[in-house]
Amino acid sequence: MTRAEYRLAVAEQVILGWHCARSSGADLAGVWDSDATCTNESLLSAVDEVLLLAEIHAFPMASAARRSMQDALDVAVSCLMEEFLRLKVWDASQMEVRLGVRFAVGKFSMPAADSGVSLSLAFPTTGSISTASTIDELYASGGSQSSRVGAVTMLLDGEFFDELDLISPASLSVLHQIALRVIRAGYTKELLHAFTNAPCDVLDRFLTILQMECAFETDHVSFEDAEWWTAEDMIKRWILATKLVAKALAVMQRQLQAQSCGAFDRFKNDYFMAIAKNSIFVLLRFANGFTTTEAPDKLVYVLEMYEALSNATPGLLLLFTEQRVELVSRQVEVVLAKLARALRAMIGGLIARIRTADCPQTTGSAARGVGVHPLTRYAMTCVELLSPHRAALDLILANGAGESVTSLGSLVAVLVTSLERHLEEINPKLSNDDDDAVAAAAASRHLFLATNASYVARRAVDAGVEPLLGDGWAARRGSLIARYVASYVEACWAPVAACLETAGRKPVKVAAKFSSAFDEAYESQVHREIPDPALRDALRKAASEMVVPAYSAYLQNHPKLQKNVRHTAGELDRLLWELFEGEAAERNKLLL
């Protein structure tokens, strides 16, 4: 045995012995521990010995010793790759200390979502998704609610990341030593491949917010696969994770480029872009799971996901070199296009829901045919929730969602038109066909339509979408409400005033008939509730103008009735201005 063969045998024994023991499941230390401390000098020396023998071409090409050396070299490089993957290059501990919170890394359970979603719950009852509302779910312990909200606010502040040292200083020398040996061995491709599996403590902490391990391992994640979570909760988590990852990556790139890593410097860009691509692809696979849903109740959540990805994309693409950016950009564009297609389908479903929704009997003033219908509340809640997303919706709808819907403004117009056509078809059921019942039904119908039209106008202003509906929309809406008010007064109060026009009858009997008709109409209307003060006043004013002047003129023409009638003209006016207070009117009577 030559000296070179002896040196190889000694090194081979150490390397292969360690490799076999690790392969059998033994918990043996490598060259360095996760904190970059050298714990196995003999293994490192054995690796260096094999590298040296390969560099000096110690054995002939076809010799058995050369083959043994090559096998040992393969195992040695495999050992170095394993060491690299075990190395803790990025450190999130300083971040947790500064925030005073600990990220949850274990699984946890979420309450089951309701199996049935009623019409009124199809859209969320609050505005845009709040990152602060997820804090309790993102941390395992530590701090009050306010401190957790502050923690996430700090995390989303780029300056906070700049103040942290996210790179473990001890890892830099190890990166140099590993890279140096890989270059000597001629195995740089193997190191580049290892980058695709490189861990990153900082990014991994943020990606655990998603709490879906399958997202890291599969090409497609569907939210239907996690039935114990609500779609809202999942998307809130995804949006928060996306914002944090985007912030962290920008700072990590700057800090890595600022470090001198020796032989590893030539790999820094490839290394960083590999871990950046991995984290971005996790987020994209997660978002892709929501591209197959067409349920309208997911519209706002998926829309916020689309916006978050769109807003983060420019900054994320800047992280990559020209050679690498195309792949990431193409994948982002695919997911955005699929989300947009799903959103257009959801919008079509929303329009269909407004047009065809079942309108069951309800309680309260709506049950009496005059209140704001649940479908009206639902439609305008949708408008209000969609209005902050005008820019994204205009972009998505520009490609067409059918029904001539090409923007948020045209969508609102279609929703309102569809709603009003649907409401027009709602008619009170009559127990008989006598004139009084028909007149009462007509009055209720016009009051109902006026109430809902007024509600639509008010909510359109509150949502800030009125300017999107055109210059004449508000005027047309006012004219429509005025027509409904006039029709209501004509149906309910014109017959009362008509009692004074009875020719050839004694004034006393005419006054009595008028009073009876007025009392009957008043009692049928006084308990109805009109929540809109402007509409309430318009209705009172119109009713008063229909009845009071005619009654006042009749009393002036028959002065002898002044002392024998039940009400003066002034009293009638006061009573009419008490209408439409609902239950408040009854409480006021009791107080009197």
Side-chain angles (χ1 to χ4, degrees), residues 51 54-55 73 77 80 180-188:
L51 287 174
E55 284 179 324
L73 184 61
V77 172
L80 291 174
L180 185 63
R181 289 169 171 83
V182 168
I183 294 171
R184 288 172 59 194
Y187 280 70
T188 55

Side-chain angles (χ1 to χ4, degrees), residues 52 57 133 141 143 177 193 223 236 264 284 326 364 447 468 567:
L52 179 59
H57 304 291
S133 65
S141 63
Q177 294 186 55
H193 179 72
F223 70 88
K236 284 194 295 185
F264 192 76
L284 291 179
E326 184 178 353
L447 197 59
L468 307 180
H567 304 293

Side-chain angles (χ1 to χ4, degrees), residues 368-370 424 426-449 484 487-488 490-492 524-525 528:
R368 294 191 290 273
V370 302
E424 287 277 357
I426 301 175
N427 292 297
K429 294 182 178 180
L430 302 180
S431 57
N432 53 63
D433 293 330
D434 62 50
D435 292 342
D436 291 340
V438 171
S444 295
R445 181 173 185 274
H446 294 305
L447 197 59
F448 167 76
L449 293 174
Y484 287 143
S487 297
Y488 160 75
E490 187 66 27
C492 184
S524 70
Q525 302 299 306
R528 290 182 166 178

